[in-house]
Amino acid sequence: MAGAFQVHDPRLAGERHRRAVLLWSLAALAAFLVWQALRLSSFNGVETRPPAWDQSIHLEIADDYSEAIRKGRSSDLLHPVPKPGMPAFPPLYHFALLGVYSSQDPAAGALWINYLYFIVLAFCLFGLVYDFRPDFGAVLATVSVLCAPAVQELFFTQLADLPLIACATAAYWAFLRSDEFEERGPSLAFGFLFAVGMLHKWSFFSYMIPAYYVGARALLDEERRGNALGALGTAVLLFAPWYIANWPLMLPRLIQASSDFAVPVWKGGAFFVYFIQGVEYLGPLLWVMGSIGLIVPYFRRNEHRGWLIAFWVISYYIFWAIVPNRQFRFLIPGLAGLAVYACGSWPRPMLWLLAASQLFIA
């Protein structure tokens, strides 16, 4: 009889529904990652080509670090052996590769390290999108971006770019969670993840431009100043020593590399090259839905943070469109913002169609 007098609580029912949606979304994302692991295992089983030039350089640098550790040459950990025509690379990606030299096939082992970064990317990207759309559409948008041809190409190659995407997504998610440096924990997490990104690749700074603007404003606000200084201090303390030690050799080569295959931004519509290439490298439906979503944005929640997503997408696009050396992989670390726009304005059937299209392309 007691059950007959129970009162239905809409708030409790809503919370249960949201929890169930989140669990099903995470389960779907985990299933997708299992599928990716099976694909990678199949790829490694049939791939017989040696790594290309840039990929070989990264594997060789990891081998140099491994040898330096074995022989106790600690100075080589801070000053890596220079490679012909290449700038010094920050060390964290190569440290991650150290374990692959105990395997029979280091090139295949490096791709499994990629898979670990891919897992981090998947969950951080899902978390960021879910903050704006807390339903199953978030996982559909996440899978759609992870299946983009440009992301899949980097997944199957031994470069630092896929780890860079994971670092950028994680750092920007922490930045958004900091509520413009009002929350201490996420602010310090952002500072730490910023350093991690910078120690993966020098170009990481270009994907955090909105954080510099917000951080400068926070320094003028007494209530937020401490959190902004904490994030700044954490980042600089962790990444600056390596850059100070390697800057004299790195800067000239970076300037030279930026002009490789150079076409000035004011010639031949160079500014719009990435936008045009998006059809091929993102997938046509993701490109269309993301572009329309950027023009007509809609956020299911956290609308007050929406301008930071627009600022993110526009700022890194302008930066890399101006750089004369244009390769689409330079643009990919900011694609998490596009995932928000690809799912925000669209009904769920369109997101199912998008996900199915991207899975087919992958």
Side-chain angles (χ1 to χ4, degrees):
M1 291 294 293
F5 295 98
Q6 289 180 352
V7 178
H8 176 70
D9 187 343
R11 290 176 299 178
L12 183 59
E15 181 61 31
R16 287 174 178 169
H17 175 72
R18 284 190 292 272
R19 192 177 305 167
V21 168
L22 178 59
L23 290 175
W24 278 109
S25 298
L26 292 173
L29 188 58
F32 169 76
L33 291 171
V34 170
W35 177 62
Q36 288 291 94
L38 294 173
R39 293 182 66 221
L40 179 56
S41 179
S42 175
F43 177 83
N44 280 335
V46 299
E47 177 61 273
T48 58
R49 297 168 298 177
W53 171 259
D54 285 356
Q55 291 86 333
S56 298
I57 290 292
H58 285 290
L59 291 170
E60 186 178 343
I61 293 172
D63 191 34
D64 290 343
Y65 281 129
S66 179
E67 183 178 355
I69 293 172
R70 288 196 309 269
K71 296 183 177 180
R73 299 199 305 262
S74 57
S75 62
D76 286 357
L77 299 178
L78 186 60
H79 299 277
V81 178
K83 303 299 176 185
M86 305 291 284
F89 287 96
L92 282 192
Y93 173 62
H94 307 101
F95 286 172
L97 295 180
L98 289 177
V100 306
Y101 283 93
S102 61
S103 63
Q104 294 181 344
D105 187 351
L111 294 184
W112 283 110
I113 299 298
N114 260 13
Y115 180 67
L116 298 180
Y117 280 106
F118 193 80
I119 292 174
V120 173
L121 169 62
F123 284 103
C124 290
L125 177 58
F126 170 74
L128 191 152
V129 179
Y130 189 84
D131 277 351
F132 290 92
R133 178 165 181 159
D135 60 23
F136 201 75
V139 76
L140 294 175
T142 298
V143 168
S144 298
V145 169
L146 295 176
C147 286
V151 177
Q152 288 290 303
E153 182 179 351
L154 292 177
F155 178 52
F156 289 99
T157 192
Q158 301 88 351
L159 291 173
D161 294 275
L162 183 73
L164 190 67
I165 304 171
C167 292
T169 304
Y172 211 80
W173 186 25
F175 167 61
L176 290 172
R177 283 278 179 154
S178 75
D179 270 333
E180 301 185 35
F181 297 107
E182 289 186 4
E183 302 292 333
R184 176 167 298 178
S187 297
L188 294 178
F190 169 70
F192 173 77
L193 291 168
F194 186 96
V196 170
M198 288 296 293
L199 289 173
H200 274 81
K201 201 171 183 182
W202 355 264
S203 57
F204 180 84
F205 78 93
S206 67
Y207 307 108
M208 298 293 123
I209 294 173
Y212 310 146
Y213 169 73
V214 173
R217 289 176 51 193
L219 291 175
L220 302 176
D221 186 334
E222 186 175 351
E223 294 183 358
R224 297 184 292 156
R225 185 181 302 139
N227 293 337
L229 287 173
L232 176 62
T234 300
V236 172
L237 184 65
L238 292 176
F239 81 79
W242 187 89
Y243 280 87
I244 292 172
N246 291 278
W247 196 253
L249 291 176
M250 184 174 61
L251 182 59
R253 177 52 190 149
L254 285 179
I255 295 174
Q256 179 184 350
S258 69
S259 61
D260 290 347
F261 316 108
V263 177
V265 68
W266 59 85
K267 288 188 176 180
F271 183 82
F272 301 101
V273 164
Y274 286 133
F275 184 74
I276 296 169
Q277 289 177 341
V279 178
E280 175 185 356
Y281 287 105
L282 301 179
L285 199 54
L286 176 61
W287 180 82
V288 169
M289 291 175 64
S291 299
I292 293 175
L294 180 61
I295 297 170
V296 189
Y298 177 70
F299 307 100
R300 306 298 172 101
R301 67 175 180 182
N302 290 323
E303 188 174 359
H304 65 287
R305 299 177 184 168
W307 72 277
L308 289 170
I309 296 293
F311 194 176
W312 189 21
V313 174
I314 294 170
S315 63
Y316 75 73
Y317 184 94
I318 292 174
F319 180 93
W320 286 106
I322 293 173
V323 173
N325 183 357
R326 294 180 185 84
Q327 299 182 50
F328 201 86
R329 62 190 176 97
F330 298 155
L331 210 67
I332 301 175
L335 284 184
L338 193 65
V340 176
Y341 287 115
C343 77
S345 304
W346 299 96
R348 197 175 303 171
M350 281 298 297
L351 292 179
W352 278 106
L353 177 62
L354 170 63
S357 170
Q358 294 294 96
L359 283 166
F360 175 76
I361 292 173

